[in-house]
Amino acid sequence: MAYNQKIKEATYKQVIIVRADLKMGKGKLAAQVAHAAVLAAEICRNTRPLWHKEWMNEGQKKIVVKVNNLDELLKIKETAEAKGLPTALIQDAGLTQLEPGTITTLGIGPAPKDLLDPITRHLKLL
């Protein structure tokens, strides 16, 4: 592809939401984001195969954002599920930095961005 050729904007994306109040180390944070991305993608592949296929073909766009606390995370999960979006809530095993069962991240999608954006566009990038 020529460097000046316009790239088509993705119409599908995945959003990973991280709890900022947990103050996870960089490695722990990366692992939790990866867990959410993989599990949400697998859930989507099984429940919304067309969305998953389109997302894969478009380059698997992902956005990582943050919330202030667990309550905010759970409210977003509830809203996303009410809209029929695939979600994956991640709980830590508690082997290193966190207590077992601590909810760390939420993966939403892949899904059409016009369904995701109204739910997540207000969140700040991590």
Side-chain angles (χ1 to χ4, degrees):
M1 175 188 314
Y3 74 91
N4 62 351
Q5 185 176 1
K6 186 172 181 173
I7 298 172
K8 181 183 164 222
E9 184 179 347
T11 56
Y12 289 82
K13 68 180 177 181
Q14 184 179 59
V15 177
I16 309 303
I17 304 169
V18 177
R19 285 182 56 194
D21 62 316
L22 295 177
K23 309 292 187 215
M24 293 179 275
K26 289 178 185 176
K28 170 61 84 178
L29 177 65
Q32 297 302 300
V33 168
H35 289 320
V38 170
L39 184 56
E42 281 297 300
I43 290 168
C44 182
R45 187 174 63 83
N46 290 320
T47 61
R48 300 282 194 154
L50 178 60
W51 290 3
H52 186 269
K53 180 181 177 184
E54 292 296 322
W55 176 71
M56 291 293 290
N57 289 338
E58 292 180 348
Q60 307 101 47
K61 182 177 183 178
K62 295 167 205 68
I63 308 295
V64 182
V65 295
K66 61 185 174 180
V67 293
N68 295 319
N69 55 51
L70 178 60
D71 288 340
E72 192 176 350
L73 185 80
L74 294 176
K75 285 177 188 170
I76 293 169
K77 178 181 184 288
E78 184 179 305
T79 302
E81 289 176 343
K83 298 288 185 186
L85 303 178
T87 65
L89 192 65
I90 304 302
Q91 292 183 308
D92 191 64
L95 301 177
T96 56
Q97 300 174 20
L98 303 171
E99 292 296 316
T102 301
I103 295 171
T104 59
T105 53
L106 171 67
I108 307 175
K113 71 177 186 176
D114 61 334
L115 296 178
L116 263 172
D117 286 350
I119 298 168
T120 61
R121 85 164 59 108
H122 70 282
L123 300 172
K124 295 197 182 301
L125 294 173
L126 183 65

